[in-house]
Amino acid sequence: MNEQLRLTIDDREITAQANQTILEVARENEIPIPTLCFLEGLSGAGSCRLCLVEVRGVPRFLSSCVTRVSEGMNVTTDSPKLASYRRMILELLLAERNHICAFCVSSGNCELQDLAQELGVTHVNYPYRFPSYDVDASHERFVYDPNRCVMCTRCARACGEVEGAHTWDVMGRGVHSFMITDLNQAWGDSSTCTSCGKCVQACPTGALAEKGRSTGEMKRSAGFLSKLSSMRNCGR
Ligand code: SF4
Ligand code: SF4
């Protein structure tokens, strides 16, 4: 049985289990923390940094999706400084690739777009890079547009952890990093992809989509991933 402990989040005293993350405990207690790379049912990556929180006595922000709670911890999930960091992260993501919502299959059903609205990103203070990456439409059912990718790696985790195919991986570093399939082959030539579509459902933007979708037509539902994961964990 897990040890119970007590902590404070946004001035509320809360009981939690020692193996929980700050994000899990906050969500259980209906305290909202924005996330992008996190997806229920997948391991935490801590890469997008949107779920940063302040922990008293710690001289830097911590990613709440990968930080476990501890006895007496005092967490702040919202402050002017956190809000400004989160807006900056979103602006950098928007400037890094081509997020032109008016021409995107996921417009209206995009977590990046929703977050920008929620967190009050009204303009981007950084120069747009406007990269021009080739779209991979080689798969018979799906399409990958790296121009819309935010490198959250949800596709790779869904494919590896839930489907067990391990088709997706990251190539390169920083702004030059890419999601690739197999050993950087065209997706349609992948020998590992089972065409299950879990990566497409997990993607928060228009980077992965079903073929044949027009602007705003790509709707997704990633809720089944957490159900699949918990059913598997029950069987262990
Ligand atoms: S369709 Fe399924 S197997 Fe293929 S890359 Fe996506 S998650 Fe992996
Ligand atoms: S393709 Fe989608 S799910 Fe994969 S890293 Fe890019 S944005 Fe995330």
Side-chain angles (χ1 to χ4, degrees), residues 68-83:
R68 303 236 175 252
V69 291
S70 60
E71 179 65 37
M73 196 178 228
N74 192 320
V75 181
T76 302
T77 68
D78 198 11
S79 68
K81 205 168 171 185
L82 283 168

Side-chain angles (χ1 to χ4, degrees), residues 31-86:
I31 298 169
I33 298 178
T35 56
L36 185 60
C37 71
F38 177 81
L39 186 62
E40 197 84 46
L42 304 180
S43 62
S47 59
C48 76
R49 316 291 290 164
L50 276 169
C51 71
L52 290 174
V53 292
E54 294 172 21
V55 175
R56 187 177 292 168
V58 179
R60 61 192 171 85
F61 293 150
L62 299 178
S63 295
S64 61
C65 69
V66 289
T67 305
R68 303 236 175 252
V69 291
S70 60
E71 179 65 37
M73 196 178 228
N74 192 320
V75 181
T76 302
T77 68
D78 198 11
S79 68
K81 205 168 171 185
L82 283 168
S84 132
Y85 264 69
R86 288 171 181 152

Side-chain angles (χ1 to χ4, degrees), residues 139 142 158-159 163 165 167-168 187 192-200:
H139 194 285
F142 310 124
C159 182
E163 179 62 8
T167 302
W168 291 99
W187 192 1
T192 57
C193 176
T194 62
S195 301
C196 69
K198 292 185 178 69
C199 55
V200 179

Side-chain angles (χ1 to χ4, degrees), residues 54-124:
E54 294 172 21
V55 175
R56 187 177 292 168
V58 179
R60 61 192 171 85
F61 293 150
L62 299 178
S63 295
S64 61
C65 69
V66 289
T67 305
R68 303 236 175 252
V69 291
S70 60
E71 179 65 37
M73 196 178 228
N74 192 320
V75 181
T76 302
T77 68
D78 198 11
S79 68
K81 205 168 171 185
L82 283 168
S84 132
Y85 264 69
R86 288 171 181 152
R87 274 196 298 274
M88 180 184 74
I89 291 166
L90 282 178
E91 285 180 36
L92 287 168
L93 284 175
L94 291 166
E96 192 173 302
R97 305 242 169 142
N98 303 307
H99 296 284
I100 302 162
C101 304
F103 301 102
C104 183
V105 287
S106 286
S107 189
N109 189 34
C110 169
E111 291 179 39
L112 184 66
Q113 195 180 46
D114 290 347
L115 282 164
Q117 282 171 4
E118 270 169 47
L119 302 183
V121 176
T122 52
H123 56 280
V124 170

Side-chain angles (χ1 to χ4, degrees), residues 144 149-155 179 203-205 207-208:
Y144 166 45
C149 178
V150 291
M151 296 304 298
C152 66
T153 70
R154 280 166 44 161
C155 52
M179 296 312 295
C203 182
T205 69
L208 294 178

